[in-house]
Amino acid sequence: YVAPPTTIYTMPTTAVIKKGTRMATVEVGVTNNANFDFGVNYALPLQISTVSQGKISSNFGKAVYSFSARNNYDGIYLMEATSPMVDVTSAALVGWYPIEMQLITYTGNSIALYDGINYVNAYGHPIKSGTSGSYYGSFSPVFFFDATGKITSVTNYYGQESSANKRSAILDPTGVNQATFNPDGSIKSFEVSYIMTQSNVSPFLPRTYFKEKFTYVEPR
């Protein structure tokens, strides 16, 4: 956990525990502004510093309260292929579609692909080797959106040129690469095309091509 900057939260400095009770509720306000980092797990470490009467409990006088935020794209989606996945190194490796996946807030305008339902229980892209389940290690796409819902870039959750295979994710500009929204402004679906690159010698050597549609199902 990371202690939040004072610019993103407000809270009173005093609280009254009413006579005959042993606790009080203190409301903390959290503000999503330019200083809020969606990629951080925040926590407020709090303690009762002084009391007007009685003693401070050794067990309940201190506590840590965590909080984080989700952007508007966060949720569980049905992932489908709009065109077959192609791995240029092996025809036996094929796409695993349709399949439900979690898309988890990465920053205020991006989401990372997480398989907590099907195969790996981690950030990763599930595939099939023949009929058997598998996934690409050290690879999971992160999708970045602009204010209009256009997907502006794709990167690897584990870092570009990750692991010994130097796996990266890049946007395929020939794709739709756009989100659609419901009348109330909530996310309906998005289509994206991207490439997993891999090379131990030269970066950005294309290995696998993905053309996918993600349809929002429900919150995580």
Side-chain angles (χ1 to χ4, degrees):
Y1 292 115
V2 174
T6 56
T7 53
I8 71 167
Y9 75 93
T10 58
M11 64 175 297
T13 57
T14 62
V16 176
I17 300 177
K18 294 181 179 180
K19 184 178 180 179
T21 65
R22 299 172 60 88
M23 64 181 65
T25 299
V26 176
E27 185 173 297
V28 177
V30 178
T31 303
N32 177 16
N33 57 33
N35 295 318
F36 197 107
D37 187 345
F38 280 78
V40 169
N41 289 319
Y42 289 120
L44 278 172
L46 304 176
Q47 68 174 346
I48 302 172
S49 58
T50 61
V51 293
S52 57
Q53 60 181 2
K55 295 181 179 181
I56 299 174
S57 169
S58 59
N59 292 327
F60 302 107
K62 297 179 181 179
V64 175
Y65 297 93
S66 64
F67 66 92
S68 58
R70 300 180 181 185
N71 63 33
N72 294 332
Y73 295 97
D74 192 293
I76 296 175
Y77 288 75
L78 178 66
M79 182 175 73
E80 302 173 279
T82 57
S83 183
M85 188 198 90
V86 177
D87 186 315
V88 299
T89 68
S90 174
L93 297 178
V94 296
W96 187 343
Y97 307 103
I99 192 170
E100 284 195 355
M101 297 289 292
Q102 298 179 45
L103 288 169
I104 297 177
T105 295
Y106 184 73
T107 66
N109 67 332
S110 65
I111 43 178
L113 190 72
Y114 186 90
D115 183 5
I117 304 172
N118 310 289
Y119 183 79
V120 63
N121 198 32
Y123 288 95
H125 195 297
I127 56 175
K128 285 191 174 181
S129 178
T131 58
S132 301
S134 187
Y135 76 105
Y136 287 118
S138 301
F139 177 80
S140 188
V142 180
F143 307 115
F144 288 81
F145 299 81
D146 69 10
T148 68
K150 180 181 178 180
I151 299 172
T152 57
S153 64
V154 182
T155 190
N156 185 4
Y157 174 83
Y158 294 95
Q160 297 291 72
E161 299 189 40
S162 178
S163 77
N165 290 317
K166 292 189 175 182
R167 287 178 173 168
S168 299
I170 59 173
L171 182 70
D172 180 353
T174 66
V176 175
N177 302 327
Q178 179 69 47
T180 58
F181 301 91
N182 296 308
D184 64 358
S186 61
I187 180 69
K188 180 178 181 181
S189 63
F190 66 89
E191 290 189 42
V192 61
S193 297
Y194 58 101
I195 304 165
M196 185 184 79
T197 64
Q198 175 178 309
S199 175
N200 295 330
V201 179
S202 175
F204 306 128
L205 179 66
R207 171 176 170 175
T208 306
Y209 293 81
F210 303 90
K211 292 184 180 292
E212 297 169 338
K213 180 178 181 180
F214 292 83
T215 302
Y216 185 85
V217 176
E218 61 186 358
R220 286 191 298 115

